[in-house]
Amino acid sequence: MSDVVERTLTALPGLLSLDLQTGAGKLSSTSKLGNLIRSITELTSKHDEEKLIKRELAAIKEQVSSPNTTMRQMKETMVRSIYCEMLGYEADFTYIHAIKLAQQGSVLEKRVGYLAVSLFLNENHELLLLLVNTVLKDLQSTNLIEVCMALTVVSQIFPRDMIPAILPLVEEKLNHPKEIIRRKAVQALHKFYLIAPNQVQHIHSKFRKALCDKDPGVMAASLHIYLQMIKESADSYRDLAGSFVTILKQVVGGKLPVDYNYHSVPAPWVQIQLLRILALLGKDDQSTSELMYDVLDESIRRAEINHNITYAILFECVKTIYTIHPKEELLEKAAKCIGNFVLSPKINLKYLGLKALTYVVQQDANLALQHQMTIIECLDHSDIIIKRETLELLFRITNAQNVTVIVEKMLDFLRLCHEDYAIIDLVAKVAELAEKYAPDNRWFIETMSTIFTVGGELMQPDIPSNFLRLLAEGSDSVEDDRLLRTYAVDSYVSLLQTNPTKLPQRFLQVISWVLGEYSHLVDDLSPCLVIDLLVRLLERPAVASDTRSWVMTAVGKLSTGAGGGTGAGGGTAEGGAGLVQRVSQQHSSSLDTQLRQQALELQLLSQDPELHTRVLPRGAVWGSLEVDSSLSFLDGFVSEALARGAAPYKPPHQRQEELRQEKALSLEPYALSLPISLSSCSIADRQSPTLLSISSGLSGNSTELPHRAGSGSLKLEGVKRVWGKDGYLPQREVPEGPSILQEASAPAPQTFPQQGGALTPPSADPSEEDRDKQQLASSLFVGLSSHNSTCLMGKPEAPVPQRFRRKHKNTDSASASSSSDSSHSPHDAANHFLYSSLLEEGPASPIMLAQNSLAPPKRTEANGTHTRGDTPVLPTANGVAEVGDQEAPPSLTMANEEAPSPGVGRHRDPPLLMGGMKLVQPCPPHPAPRASTQSSAEGADPPQLPELPPEPDHLPPELRNLPHSDMAPLASDQSLSLSCCRVHREDALVLVLQMSNACGAALLDVSVELQCHELKVASLRGNALESLPAQSVRVCWYTLLMEAPHTHVMVTGSVSYREESGPSHALEISSKLSLADFLRPLVLSTEEYGKLWLSLSQDVKQNLTLLDPDGDPLCSSLSVLKDKLQLHVVDIIGSEGIVACKLLQGAPCLLHCRVHAGALAVWLRSPVPGLPDCLLYHLQRALQER
Amino acid sequence: MIKAILIFNNHGKPRLIRFYQYFAEDMQQQIIRETFHLVSKRDDNVCNFLEGGSLIGGSDYKLIYRHYATLYFVFCVDSSESELGILDLIQVFVETLDKCFENVCELDLIFHMDKVHCILQEVVMGGMVLETNMNEIVAQVEMQNRMEKSEGGLSAAPARAVSAVKNMNLPEMPRNINIGDINIKVPSLSPF
């Protein structure tokens, strides 16, 4: 007890030794709160309550605003308003008074004031700023209680920006003699760490001190912080593992004061916390794990009392043991514990047991086998939570053999379940399992139908779209696809025929899409029948309007079949066409504009079969569809309009910017001028249609753009794509259906693991119950025992091949052709290329990586302007410009025009391939290939064999004219020495590795591996040599592409080789590359600069030191920057200069420099978040180094 | 971290609400309603954990609750809390309340909302468990209470008011129930 408090106490008269109970008595029945509560409890309806509270709030309002209200009354009023707020009625007028109360009240009133503040306000509330002063004052108070209250409120709620104001005071409290203050101070720092980790960076050492505090409470509080920090980066705290183990040992050993025991378990919550920390520290780290084995063992041993809290500790032990580096002995004990949990009659423990099983089953499937009977009992448990947990467990052990039984169980549960959350969760799981392990078409379609029916409108929208995509993209075998599709059509037709009323909208959409797309596959199904079924849907009032448009689209697709009368349907054809006519007429006056539009389109299409086949070709190969999101077909229209003097399109944010400019003083460095010329508006914004349309000559790129830009919300799956680059008739169908076959590997043999009787559902007959359970067990756990963990989720798949593999996930990601889906890292694709062609052509085959899809905005613009004969200068590297690249722009279109090389021939869509990369197949003896992106230098020099650099220290000819660094030695040993040179190619950084054999004998099997996580690395040539003759030199190249900005990146790798008769060696190499290597000048005019500037958002400002302050500081500073960082100085006007650069062919970064007060004020803008920061770093360095 | 602590009675009337993560007022009420809806329909012989209210945090969100006589104590936590640990924390909290109020009952929670909040602040601070040692919590609370008495004790009303309040007619409870029955029964400490 502190002196202060004690003094206060002694000052009290003896008669005040009332206890708490009488404190309650203070609330006389006449008190206002008492009245309020009583009247509320007497009310019968919500409406009355509302009226009463309104009255009450009015009274409170009057009271708080009256100047005569004492603090004491204010406190009472505050409690009443807390009560009102709790009931959900806003009393925001009291907030300011709560702060006032905290500020001015005596201790007790202050407490209520603080409480009200922390209950009423949130971190971003503006009133909170008013609290800062009060907190400051209270933190400095000599009254312990006030300090405590201040710390409490700080750890509940505090404005982030004001942390620095009180941080020193809180830190100081870490040394307070009273442990409760220290503990609360630690807690407050924890709060600071959570909301603003940077601000407490410097006091990590004090956390350590808190960890070693002599008071266990303070130590326990510091564990919160450590748990959080270790969660974020375990590596930085591994050194503390020993301390945590020691602490845990002491706690388990009962070294803490008895006070901390809870049901004679020593400080159980501290133990739990420590165990969690240990799990995080020991994960993937054997040596740290070894430290823990003893104490874990002891924890398990000591936790023997049959009480809830010991089980809590045991559970944590089990989790820790399974998380850290495994030790056989402990695993056994943990498994036994899990067994105890699972078998426990206590339901909470059973739940945790199932949770633990779910957690460990991926490592040890046999454990699930041991408890299979219990698991089956849990499946029928009366508690829904237990059931769900059991299903979760089953989900983890699903394989191709037990999938039918498990999915059946899940569907059973779903049919009885009414909780939205559970349904959403489980539906997604069933869909995943069905897609992964479906044994046959029938089962798959039926399961999906059930999912759609049960999931209804709740399920995640990606489930139906994935399903449609799977149908559309098909698998590796055309025949399988056909069967699947026809089965789907059949089952949906019969569904519609029986009872379509109950089907959810999403399902109806799926059905209509499938019928529209594939019903022609079923020979004896007349299109009229299908149209009739669909049209009936349109007539139902319950069908939502977006579903109607799906239906309409389907009818549109079917209308040729009906009208044209192909084959058997001839007789009824007229009826079908009539029906279509009727529908389109009926809806052509619909109030729903979308529907009306579709109806009118349908009308036109049904009258013109030719148009119809062009617009909606039957059986179009997916993937070959292109979406011209840039609407390039409007180019003509736009340019015409512009020529007639229309203002160019401005995106909304630019318009806003301008508006703001008009209103406010101009703070922008450039007055906005809007010349109505094509050349300037083309650069205006990367997302403006004009620019995109120019780039749309590259179909691959333009389809990728929306994805890259992160606007992935545009779901194109399941939507018929009708707008293409040629206008409203695109769908360039590539008649290469069979090529899929070629590409596909032979379909894997299907297995149908039907287990005879095992599949029969358990019967309800009690006499057979046991046997049924056994059977169920055998069908549920089949496949677990033999090859246990290999078949589990998240592990490599079981021998049974996954049936519905999405094509684009395997074959396509490799070919990178039809992927409009850009989620696959091109790096993978590159590896795949490397790998596969290495296999095909032997180790030395060089591979060329062409321009990759990201290079774009600037580059494509260059192409576009070039083809249109417009003037803007091509962005080029200094070196390149000299060689006169105007005739030969580094062009992607060139690659498009090239005949596909053999490697490309297999892919059905060469232009799209450019979205990924271009593969050229040069074998050493053949003439060297012409890499599509090789810069113009190549145009001058005829390509040469890169394998034969004539003399050491010479770059391959096509690189020789590019700006490059000197050869710098990297590593060497007695026989091989390596040096490297960085070549700044326009679109990439080329790293040329020179290997020179210094010894007398040839070196064999030289191979180079290079990697860098931050960059995209591709080997160009020569990275594997069969032999390196004595005293000779070879080079190999890598192109490096930086997509996200980094200030520095480390490239590491190794070169391995073998001496002719000796052992093999490896040389490690590493090289640090800076952002400067990836910057390229961006050449543009001042006007273009101004426009681009306005359209960019990421904004960084900084003052830098100026060079040459006496002469012309701006010019000399800029020229230094220009030389060192390859910037392009656009213009210098007086004391301001504008500079532009870009990250390879990607994001631009604009700099505006101004000499101001002896410093260089730099203002950077870029569309890429990190780029200005990274660039700024190098600017500083460049200027400092001078 | 503990996201919220909700105490409501068998009829869903909130008795103490404390959020450690910001939610707008109407969202808070919705969470209270949904939680009550989830918790109230569960039997007493099922487990004390619930998963997946969609409102607070989706899959990383659990409800851990205990039901005492007329009150539900619900802790909404994320996955970084130990289920059984929180379950016993509720027990600690209730036992502490019982010590501070002597035979705590629903009415104590209503009329001494501010005090209950203060006790809770000693147990859970900013969503983190601060103290689990019951004696220590009680000591802290008492230290503050002594302070209170030093200020307001003289005007404290006579003790009979307690009985007056406790006899008050609360329509949610049957009329003829006697006071003892609305006491929260602190369950026996043997494992459940």
Side-chain angles (χ1 to χ4, degrees):
Chain A
M1 186 67 41
S2 84
D3 304 348
V4 186
V5 179
E6 240 151 85
R7 239 177 294 131
T8 338
L9 283 180
T10 45
L12 289 176
L15 69 129
L16 283 183
S17 57
L18 302 163
D19 70 328
L20 252 176
Q21 184 65 31
T22 49
K26 254 193 312 171
L27 269 176
S28 69
S29 51
T30 54
S31 85
K32 286 184 176 157
L33 179 64
N35 278 336
L36 171 65
I37 292 166
R38 189 156 22 169
S39 22
I40 283 184
T41 48
E42 279 165 3
L43 295 177
T44 46
S45 74
K46 184 81 187 163
H47 181 67
D48 289 344
E49 185 189 287
E50 248 166 60
K51 270 204 304 204
L52 181 84
I53 299 278
K54 264 209 189 107
R55 259 203 325 259
E56 182 70 24
L57 284 177
I60 293 177
K61 196 168 193 171
E62 193 183 324
Q63 195 172 8
V64 292
S65 51
S66 143
N68 299 327
T69 313
T70 62
M71 278 297 149
R72 194 177 166 69
Q73 286 166 320
M74 192 65 99
K75 175 198 147 217
E76 204 270 331
T77 317
M78 208 47 72
V79 176
R80 272 192 291 154
S81 53
I82 293 179
Y83 191 80
C84 294
E85 282 257 331
M86 183 176 76
L87 293 179
Y89 299 90
E90 200 157 72
D92 47 3
F93 55 87
T94 56
Y95 295 174
I96 183 73
H97 295 282
I99 290 178
K100 210 166 115 194
L101 191 63
Q103 202 164 14
Q104 297 170 359
S106 62
V107 177
L108 181 60
E109 290 140 17
K110 200 185 257 303
R111 189 173 76 170
V112 174
Y114 273 136
L115 175 67
V117 168
S118 72
L119 285 172
F120 290 160
L121 302 185
N122 66 67
E123 239 139 55
N124 302 319
H125 203 288
E126 50 192 1
L127 286 180
L128 209 52
L129 285 177
L130 298 177
L131 193 70
V132 176
N133 236 342
T134 316
V135 170
L136 262 178
K137 200 182 85 204
D138 284 339
L139 279 177
Q140 288 161 316
S141 160
T142 49
N143 186 334
L144 266 191
I145 295 192
E146 283 180 348
V147 178
C148 260
M149 285 191 297
L151 285 174
T152 308
V153 83
V154 160
S155 70
Q156 316 257 31
I157 186 169
F158 200 75
R160 185 187 337 193
D161 305 335
M162 297 309 286
I163 289 176
I166 59 162
L167 190 57
L169 283 174
V170 177
E171 263 178 80
E172 199 178 281
K173 298 289 179 249
L174 287 176
N175 299 322
H176 201 276
K178 199 82 177 127
E179 55 272 11
I180 180 74
I181 302 285
R182 292 206 299 276
R183 195 183 316 159
K184 291 201 171 179
V186 170
Q187 206 79 320
L189 288 176
H190 177 230
K191 173 75 174 180
F192 294 165
Y193 182 78
L194 285 181
I195 59 178
N198 295 333
Q199 313 230 23
V200 289
Q201 281 297 345
H202 61 288
I203 40 178
H204 281 200
S205 60
K206 298 203 172 159
F207 293 156
R208 294 204 179 205
K209 213 174 133 230
L211 184 65
C212 308
D213 200 284
K214 59 182 189 298
D215 180 65
V218 181
M219 182 273 291
S222 74
L223 291 183
H224 290 304
I225 300 184
Y226 276 104
L227 186 62
Q228 185 67 32
M229 294 196 297
I230 290 171
K231 230 182 239 169
E232 280 156 22
S233 85
D235 285 333
S236 343
Y237 298 94
R238 294 224 200 272
D239 58 319
L240 281 177
S243 320
F244 289 121
V245 168
T246 322
I247 296 174
L248 183 56
K249 258 189 195 136
Q250 291 177 7
V251 175
V252 173
K255 300 276 181 350
L256 293 190
V258 189
D259 254 8
Y260 284 88
N261 284 10
Y262 176 76
H263 294 274
S264 59
V265 179
W269 286 278
V270 175
Q271 287 194 42
I272 291 172
Q273 198 84 347
L274 283 166
L275 285 167
R276 279 173 181 244
I277 290 177
L278 291 185
L280 290 173
L281 286 176
K283 194 176 183 192
D284 305 326
D285 188 329
Q286 187 172 358
S287 58
T288 315
S289 303
E290 276 163 3
L291 293 173
M292 309 168 187
Y293 291 150
D294 282 348
V295 73
L296 287 173
D297 193 43
E298 187 169 350
S299 291
I300 291 195
R301 203 161 39 77
R302 292 236 183 190
E304 55 203 0
I305 316 154
N306 185 17
H307 184 272
N308 199 9
I309 200 71
T310 47
Y311 289 115
I313 294 171
L314 275 181
F315 183 71
E316 285 311 317
C317 282
V318 168
K319 266 175 91 174
T320 306
I321 288 170
Y322 272 95
T323 311
I324 63 173
H325 192 270
K327 187 189 182 197
E328 196 56 39
E329 196 184 314
L330 282 176
L331 285 179
E332 270 170 34
K333 288 190 179 172
K336 221 176 105 208
C337 283
I338 294 181
N340 290 341
F341 275 105
V342 174
L343 296 173
S344 165
K346 290 169 198 159
I347 194 154
N348 285 342
L349 298 188
K350 203 179 264 296
Y351 169 84
L352 287 178
L354 288 170
K355 260 212 137 39
L357 265 187
T358 315
Y359 185 73
V360 305
V361 80
Q362 296 183 13
Q363 295 175 41
D364 186 3
N366 283 319
L367 209 54
L369 277 180
Q370 285 171 23
H371 299 294
Q372 44 180 306
M373 290 319 285
T374 323
I375 293 173
I376 286 172
E377 274 161 24
C378 289
L379 264 183
D380 297 323
H381 202 280
S382 57
D383 187 354
I384 197 166
I385 297 292
I386 298 275
K387 264 194 200 173
R388 247 170 61 191
E389 201 53 47
T390 317
L391 289 178
E392 173 78 38
L393 172 60
L394 290 179
F395 172 71
R396 300 284 168 107
I397 60 167
T398 310
N399 56 37
Q401 298 172 52
N402 57 15
V403 63
T404 44
V405 195
I406 287 179
V407 166
E408 189 53 44
K409 286 281 161 202
M410 290 180 163
L411 292 179
D412 283 348
F413 179 86
L414 270 175
R415 290 190 189 102
L416 297 174
C417 178
H418 301 294
E419 269 175 52
D420 290 0
Y421 174 79
I423 292 177
I424 295 171
D425 185 53
L426 208 54
V427 158
K429 282 182 178 149
V430 177
E432 188 185 327
L433 291 181
E435 204 173 285
K436 222 169 177 172
Y437 300 112
D440 58 69
N441 289 332
R442 181 193 185 83
W443 184 89
F444 179 65
I445 297 292
E446 276 172 6
T447 307
M448 290 311 282
S449 297
T450 321
I451 291 175
F452 291 138
T453 317
V454 176
E457 313 308 321
L458 286 174
M459 73 181 143
Q460 303 286 344
D462 61 334
I463 296 175
S465 51
N466 279 345
F467 172 69
L468 291 184
R469 188 169 172 165
L470 199 142
L471 278 184
E473 286 177 351
S475 62
D476 296 342
S477 142
V478 169
E479 182 59 19
D480 275 356
D481 289 348
R482 202 187 58 79
L483 285 176
L484 181 65
R485 290 167 187 167
T486 44
Y487 190 81
V489 170
D490 281 341
S491 77
Y492 293 156
V493 165
S494 57
L495 253 178
L496 283 187
Q497 277 168 336
T498 48
N499 139 25
T501 39
K502 283 185 196 148
L503 300 178
Q505 304 296 324
R506 288 249 177 80
F507 193 20
L508 286 178
Q509 291 166 8
V510 168
I511 290 177
S512 39
W513 190 87
V514 169
L515 290 184
E517 199 76 1
Y518 297 121
S519 64
H520 66 91
L521 293 176
V522 182
D523 296 333
D524 51 353
L525 186 65
S526 127
C528 298
L529 175 73
V530 181
I531 291 181
D532 185 47
L533 284 172
L534 288 173
V535 167
R536 264 192 257 162
L537 285 182
L538 283 180
E539 284 155 9
R540 280 175 207 285
V543 176
S545 67
D546 58 333
T547 313
R548 281 167 198 271
S549 76
W550 284 73
V551 174
M552 213 55 171
T553 315
V555 172
K557 286 182 211 163
L558 289 166
S559 61
T560 36
T566 45
T572 47
E574 298 316 309
L579 201 55
V580 171
Q581 275 301 327
R582 190 167 59 77
V583 171
S584 55
Q585 239 149 39
Q586 195 178 351
H587 291 277
S588 60
S589 55
S590 161
L591 282 180
D592 184 337
T593 46
Q594 164 122 24
L595 205 59
R596 194 192 311 179
Q597 183 188 345
Q598 280 186 311
L600 291 171
E601 284 168 13
L602 180 59
Q603 214 161 11
L604 275 180
L605 289 177
S606 63
Q607 281 159 8
D608 185 349
E610 203 175 304
L611 181 67
H612 189 285
T613 36
R614 255 202 305 161
V615 175
L616 298 167
R618 174 163 291 173
V621 178
W622 270 61
S624 67
L625 299 184
E626 285 173 42
V627 176
D628 190 359
S629 56
S630 60
L631 308 179
S632 61
F633 48 87
L634 290 175
D635 277 358
F637 178 76
V638 170
S639 55
E640 238 172 71
L642 286 171
R644 269 187 274 120
Y649 174 78
K650 281 176 256 164
H653 64 267
Q654 193 185 340
R655 266 174 277 162
Q656 248 167 13
E657 185 112 6
E658 282 167 30
L659 234 103
R660 238 185 298 141
Q661 279 221 323
E662 276 162 27
K663 279 186 209 146
L665 279 176
S666 170
L667 299 171
E668 299 289 339
Y670 308 101
L672 190 80
S673 61
L674 290 172
I676 307 169
S677 78
L678 263 174
S679 63
S680 55
C681 76
S682 67
I683 201 166
D685 186 291
R686 301 202 307 133
Q687 285 170 347
S688 86
T690 34
L691 174 64
L692 274 179
S693 60
I694 293 167
S695 74
S696 62
L698 289 156
S699 50
N701 283 343
S702 63
T703 45
E704 294 240 353
L705 267 173
H707 295 273
R708 298 270 184 204
S711 56
S713 58
L714 178 65
K715 285 240 185 242
L716 293 171
E717 295 93 358
V719 182
K720 194 74 189 174
R721 294 157 184 185
V722 285
W723 288 92
K725 74 169 183 182
D726 298 323
Y728 181 59
L729 16 119
Q731 293 210 337
R732 262 189 334 158
E733 190 180 345
V734 182
E736 281 189 60
S739 70
I740 307 169
L741 255 184
Q742 289 176 9
E743 191 177 346
S745 54
Q750 300 292 327
T751 49
F752 295 86
Q754 313 251 340
Q755 299 262 324
L759 284 176
T760 53
S763 102
D765 189 348
S767 64
E768 290 183 354
E769 203 175 295
D770 267 2
R771 221 188 58 216
D772 285 340
K773 277 189 179 167
Q774 293 283 3
Q775 269 183 358
L776 181 60
S778 66
S779 53
L780 276 179
F781 297 94
V782 64
L784 279 186
S785 48
S786 49
H787 44 260
N788 49 26
S789 61
T790 50
C791 61
L792 297 169
M793 294 270 320
K795 306 267 171 157
E797 295 302 323
V800 184
Q802 188 180 325
R803 181 177 167 77
F804 295 110
R805 275 185 305 183
R806 300 245 182 93
K807 230 172 33 167
H808 72 104
K809 276 198 181 158
N810 25 65
T811 51
D812 271 15
S813 72
S815 67
S817 61
S818 74
S819 66
S820 59
D821 177 350
S822 61
S823 64
H824 308 292
S825 123
H827 185 62
D828 289 349
N831 278 344
H832 186 94
F833 271 113
L834 184 59
Y835 182 62
S836 62
S837 74
L838 278 181
L839 284 183
E840 284 160 21
E841 316 203 11
S845 92
I847 285 155
M848 306 217 86
L849 168 72
Q851 171 77 21
N852 105 354
S853 62
L854 267 192
K858 287 300 143 241
R859 165 59 137 265
T860 49
E861 162 217 323
N863 284 335
T865 47
H866 178 75
T867 50
R868 283 160 34 160
D870 225 322
T871 43
V873 195
L874 283 169
T876 46
N878 309 344
V880 185
E882 289 160 15
V883 219
D885 59 32
Q886 297 293 344
E887 317 86 72
S891 138
L892 281 173
T893 43
M894 196 164 83
N896 275 346
E897 289 146 13
E898 264 182 6
S901 64
V904 179
R906 314 182 277 165
H907 309 301
R908 54 179 187 274
D909 199 359
L912 262 179
L913 184 70
M914 289 313 298
M917 45 190 60
K918 184 158 167 61
L919 178 67
V920 190
Q921 304 263 341
C923 286
H926 301 322
R930 187 184 154 100
S932 59
T933 51
Q934 267 168 4
S935 62
S936 53
E938 195 197 55
D941 279 2
Q944 287 183 8
L945 286 182
E947 282 77 16
L948 305 169
E951 48 207 282
D953 227 50
H954 268 132
L955 289 171
E958 56 267 55
L959 297 179
R960 218 171 291 155
N961 287 327
L962 297 176
H964 58 83
S965 70
D966 297 332
M967 276 287 174
L970 268 185
S972 61
D973 62 6
Q974 67 278 16
S975 43
L976 186 69
S977 72
L978 297 167
S979 48
C980 97
C981 163
R982 289 164 288 140
V983 181
H984 289 194
R985 212 169 64 188
E986 176 67 356
D987 60 334
L989 176 71
V990 181
L991 205 61
V992 179
L993 266 186
Q994 179 174 294
M995 303 176 274
S996 44
N997 184 352
C999 71
L1003 301 175
L1004 300 177
D1005 294 340
V1006 184
S1007 78
V1008 186
E1009 272 185 36
L1010 211 60
Q1011 55 183 343
C1012 175
H1013 295 301
E1014 291 90 356
L1015 301 176
K1016 282 208 304 198
V1017 182
S1019 161
L1020 278 186
R1021 57 187 69 177
N1023 71 333
L1025 296 174
E1026 270 175 24
S1027 79
L1028 182 62
Q1031 301 295 334
S1032 68
V1033 176
R1034 290 286 182 273
V1035 293
C1036 71
W1037 311 2
Y1038 282 86
T1039 47
L1040 307 177
L1041 299 175
M1042 180 183 272
E1043 281 163 0
H1046 299 273
T1047 49
H1048 288 110
V1049 289
M1050 284 300 290
V1051 177
T1052 55
S1054 65
V1055 178
S1056 61
Y1057 66 91
R1058 186 162 62 82
E1059 278 165 26
E1060 207 148 12
S1061 55
S1064 54
H1065 299 270
L1067 263 178
E1068 297 290 325
I1069 50 177
S1070 74
S1071 172
K1072 192 174 180 184
L1073 300 174
S1074 95
L1075 176 73
D1077 289 321
F1078 296 92
L1079 288 178
R1080 301 289 177 267
L1082 174 62
V1083 181
L1084 31 67
S1085 72
T1086 312
E1087 275 175 359
E1088 290 163 346
Y1089 181 97
K1091 295 208 139 201
L1092 191 54
W1093 176 268
L1094 288 181
S1095 68
L1096 297 180
S1097 53
Q1098 300 292 330
D1099 206 309
V1100 174
K1101 294 181 196 174
Q1102 181 88 30
N1103 284 347
L1104 301 178
T1105 47
L1106 266 179
L1107 296 173
D1108 190 17
D1110 306 322
D1112 186 351
L1114 185 66
C1115 276
S1116 49
S1117 303
L1118 289 187
S1119 70
V1120 167
L1121 294 178
K1122 179 186 166 201
D1123 294 344
K1124 285 200 171 178
L1125 298 172
Q1126 305 203 43
L1127 309 177
H1128 170 71
V1129 180
V1130 180
D1131 207 349
I1132 296 182
I1133 311 162
S1135 64
E1136 299 181 19
I1138 51 176
V1139 181
C1141 67
K1142 58 188 172 171
L1143 187 58
L1144 295 177
Q1145 293 294 318
C1149 184
L1150 304 184
L1151 294 84
H1152 170 246
C1153 313
R1154 194 158 72 98
V1155 178
H1156 177 68
L1160 185 66
V1162 187
W1163 187 358
L1164 300 99
R1165 280 189 174 184
S1166 168
V1168 176
L1171 189 53
D1173 285 324
C1174 295
L1175 183 57
L1176 195 58
Y1177 171 83
H1178 286 286
L1179 291 177
Q1180 275 168 337
R1181 288 280 306 274
L1183 289 177
Q1184 275 163 11
E1185 278 168 13
R1186 266 302 275 262
Chain B
M1 157 173 187
I2 299 170
K3 305 268 184 192
I5 293 173
L6 315 174
I7 304 176
F8 39 71
N9 70 4
N10 290 346
H11 303 266
K13 283 257 175 254
R15 290 306 177 214
L16 180 132
I17 304 298
R18 175 94 229 198
F19 281 90
Y20 295 101
Q21 185 185 337
Y22 172 68
F23 291 101
E25 181 75 17
D26 48 343
M27 188 64 180
Q28 290 188 4
Q29 293 299 319
Q30 211 178 324
I31 291 172
I32 296 169
R33 273 195 302 275
E34 192 194 71
T35 310
F36 172 69
H37 177 73
L38 283 173
V39 166
S40 62
K41 66 180 181 203
R42 293 182 54 82
D43 296 338
D44 278 345
N45 59 347
V46 296
C47 69
N48 298 44
F49 316 119
L50 263 173
E51 264 171 69
S54 42
L55 288 177
I56 294 189
S59 56
D60 187 30
Y61 163 57
K62 271 175 293 195
L63 299 175
I64 296 163
Y65 72 96
R66 271 179 184 257
H67 187 198
Y68 297 97
T70 60
L71 291 177
Y72 285 99
F73 286 71
V74 186
F75 280 44
C76 311
V77 301
D78 66 10
S79 62
S80 66
E81 297 290 339
S82 150
E83 288 93 344
L84 289 176
I86 293 290
L87 205 56
D88 273 52
L89 187 72
I90 302 179
Q91 178 74 20
V92 167
F93 178 47
V94 173
E95 280 181 41
T96 312
L97 287 179
D98 198 52
K99 276 194 180 168
C100 293
F101 289 103
E102 291 188 12
N103 262 342
V104 65
C105 72
E106 191 178 337
L107 285 172
D108 291 316
L109 264 66
I110 303 174
F111 285 107
H112 301 288
M113 213 175 17
D114 52 329
K115 270 187 211 129
V116 178
H117 268 296
C118 289
I119 296 169
L120 184 61
Q121 267 174 10
E122 297 301 319
V123 182
V124 177
M125 205 160 107
M128 292 294 153
V129 181
L130 176 69
E131 180 60 77
T132 48
N133 176 353
M134 219 177 306
N135 298 332
E136 180 71 29
I137 302 170
V138 174
Q140 285 305 320
V141 173
E142 268 172 4
M143 183 170 92
Q144 296 182 15
N145 281 326
R146 272 194 287 265
M147 209 65 170
E148 173 178 353
K149 270 167 225 154
S150 71
E151 292 179 354
L154 283 169
S155 58
R160 65 180 158 76
V162 184
S163 54
V165 171
K166 286 196 174 174
N167 279 330
M168 214 165 59
N169 256 335
L170 295 180
E172 304 119 333
M173 301 170 200
R175 221 159 226 272
N176 55 355
I177 203 161
N178 73 25
I179 307 165
D181 282 339
I182 57 169
N183 280 352
I184 294 174
K185 287 278 179 294
V186 177
S188 66
L189 300 180
S190 63
F192 43 89

